[in-house]
Amino acid sequence: MTYDVIVIGVGGMGSAAAYHLAARGQRVLGLEKFTPAHDRGSSHGGSRIIRQSYFEDPAYVPLLLRAYELWDKLAADSGREVYRITGGLFIGPPDCLTVSGSIRASRQWDLPHDVLDAREIRSRFPNFAPAADDVALYEAKAGFARPELTVQAHIDLAEQAGATLRFGEEVLDWSETAGGVTVRTAQNTYTAGQLVICPGAWAPQLLAEFGIPITIERQVLYWLDPVGGTAPFVDHPIFIEENPDGMQIYGFPAIDGARGGVKVAFFRKGVECTPDTIDRTVHEHEVAEMRARAAELLPALDGPCLHSATCMYSNTPDQHFVIARHPDSANVTVACGFSGHGFKFVPVVGEILADLATTGETTHPIALFDPKRLVSV
């Protein structure tokens, strides 16, 4: 059978793309190497931060405003709690990127926010022990998304809209044809008019001919058991904190019950790897380092590590995304380089990819994500 669009990779971005395409009446085939909502790539770990006061670049904010609308729609259409608003604290020295960038984005886009000094942080959020000269931006609309539920919701809705999704079917290669594209797997060969590639950590292999520099890094997630129990962390904001050395950590409320702990992690403190060479073992010295760093900010987190997990970031050199039509082909659209801050955009990226695959353009502002910025001439 010939399809209108084949989507390679049915993780966060690919499942959203498959849904948006199928909802527009496209005949969609999704191909995924692993099982639905798997834990081998980047879209797992129980929670991902969502926020609008975007310190990375204010240019992301219009996409976030649309993403929040689509999070609402996904929750309603799927009947799942795919996200939750908890409020968010972005803490550090006044001139650090986490604070100054969040303030800049909030002011540029007139986003509601509060700026708190250390005394106000401690008063409003007594779990925190900021440094004397720390400040924070508080965003009431921040919260977290649940990646596995989100991927499964998009998968279910895509199939309800008529998409064919094949799991456990690894893509071996793809090529252009006179009328579109051909995709070959170990089981079959498929043809379509359009191809959307959402490769995640497999970008270096699947997109080698694009020349887009993508680095894969191993990251570690930790669930710490707070001293005194999880109760004070249930009604609690998500947070990102940056110390004077520029090292960021982030964390969540206690969302998994009394024995679920509090999830924390370093932000962009990874070791380069590949999907085949990643070390899935979390070592004692890593746990000790995370506990010590987390306890500096939240003293109650100096408790044992209940469990841990690894995931992979796929990063471009400037840490911005790649979302674009193939520069030499009107039949191929690519989305990659999202890791570290991409999951909150999943619903709107799905919409963008559906736009590009069906019309060749989108009204969303994606100039920042043009791969030409990364490819040497």
Side-chain angles (χ1 to χ4, degrees):
M1 177 178 177
T2 296
Y3 296 88
D4 294 321
V5 187
I6 295 174
V7 178
I8 297 178
V10 190
M13 305 304 175
S15 64
Y19 161 62
H20 281 279
L21 285 161
R24 298 182 188 189
Q26 297 290 298
R27 295 171 299 164
V28 177
L29 172 66
L31 297 170
E32 169 58 52
K33 178 179 180 180
F34 298 108
T35 56
H38 62 83
D39 64 355
R40 310 307 293 170
S42 303
S43 297
H44 62 279
S47 55
R48 290 289 186 276
I49 286 175
I50 60 174
R51 55 192 165 92
Q52 295 181 354
S53 54
Y54 222 60
F55 60 76
E56 287 85 348
D57 194 310
Y60 285 86
V61 173
L63 295 177
L64 287 163
L65 298 176
R66 176 56 177 162
Y68 267 59
E69 294 174 349
L70 292 172
W71 281 115
D72 281 344
K73 186 175 189 304
L74 181 63
D77 290 348
S78 68
R80 291 183 169 102
E81 189 195 42
V82 292
Y83 80 105
R84 185 188 303 173
I85 298 301
T86 63
L89 272 180
F90 310 110
I91 310 171
D95 59 350
C96 74
L97 176 63
T98 302
V99 173
S100 65
S102 297
I103 292 173
R104 178 174 63 133
S106 296
R107 290 175 176 170
Q108 179 172 329
W109 292 99
D110 197 25
L111 303 175
H113 66 284
D114 298 324
V115 178
L116 311 177
D117 61 23
R119 180 189 61 80
E120 292 169 318
I121 296 169
R122 288 190 292 268
S123 175
R124 289 181 59 174
F125 305 100
N127 287 335
F128 290 89
D133 60 348
D134 277 353
V135 298
L137 179 140
Y138 175 72
E139 177 192 331
K141 289 187 175 182
F144 65 89
R146 291 188 175 272
E148 293 91 342
L149 284 182
T150 298
V151 173
Q152 193 62 57
H154 275 132
I155 287 171
D156 292 347
L157 290 171
E159 291 182 328
Q160 290 171 24
T164 300
L165 305 181
R166 301 189 185 278
F167 296 93
E169 188 161 350
E170 182 178 4
V171 171
L172 301 178
D173 56 51
W174 60 272
S175 59
E176 292 187 79
T177 64
V181 294
T182 296
V183 177
R184 188 170 64 91
T185 73
Q187 288 90 336
N188 213 329
T189 298
Y190 306 98
T191 59
Q194 292 286 322
L195 177 64
V196 175
I197 308 177
C198 302
W202 287 262
Q205 296 97 303
L206 281 172
L207 302 178
E209 72 285 350
F210 282 57
I212 300 171
I214 298 285
T215 300
I216 309 306
E217 290 184 351
R218 169 186 179 268
Q219 304 287 337
V220 184
L221 313 172
Y222 307 82
W223 284 260
L224 303 180
D225 191 15
V227 177
T230 57
F233 288 87
V234 172
D235 185 15
H236 194 268
I238 61 90
F239 66 89
I240 302 174
E241 186 257 2
E242 182 174 340
N243 69 12
D245 296 327
M247 177 55 67
Q248 295 164 302
I249 63 170
Y250 65 94
F252 299 83
I255 63 175
D256 296 316
R259 296 301 301 159
V262 172
K263 179 184 166 186
V264 293
F266 286 103
F267 187 49
R268 299 196 182 281
K269 188 178 185 296
V271 176
E272 191 167 338
C273 68
T274 71
D276 294 326
T277 64
I278 181 174
D279 181 2
R280 297 283 183 181
T281 300
V282 179
H283 303 278
E284 286 299 320
H285 73 273
E286 295 178 301
V287 173
E289 183 182 20
M290 184 75 257
R291 283 182 59 192
R293 179 72 172 82
E296 291 177 0
L297 179 65
L298 297 122
L301 292 189
D302 193 20
C305 184
L306 297 172
H307 63 101
S308 56
T310 59
C311 70
M312 289 179 286
Y313 280 8
S314 51
N315 300 310
T316 62
D318 62 8
Q319 297 177 357
H320 295 309
F321 310 154
V322 170
I323 306 175
R325 276 289 186 96
H326 190 299
D328 300 318
S329 173
N331 301 321
V332 182
T333 302
V334 175
C336 60
F338 293 100
S339 290
H341 64 123
F343 199 87
K344 61 187 70 62
F345 296 91
V346 157
V348 72
V349 170
E351 185 172 68
I352 291 167
L353 294 175
D355 290 344
L356 295 176
T358 56
T359 70
E361 58 187 11
T362 182
T363 58
H364 290 295
I366 62 169
L368 181 62
F369 312 136
D370 190 331
K372 294 187 180 70
R373 74 187 193 276
L374 302 170
V375 181
S376 56
V377 178

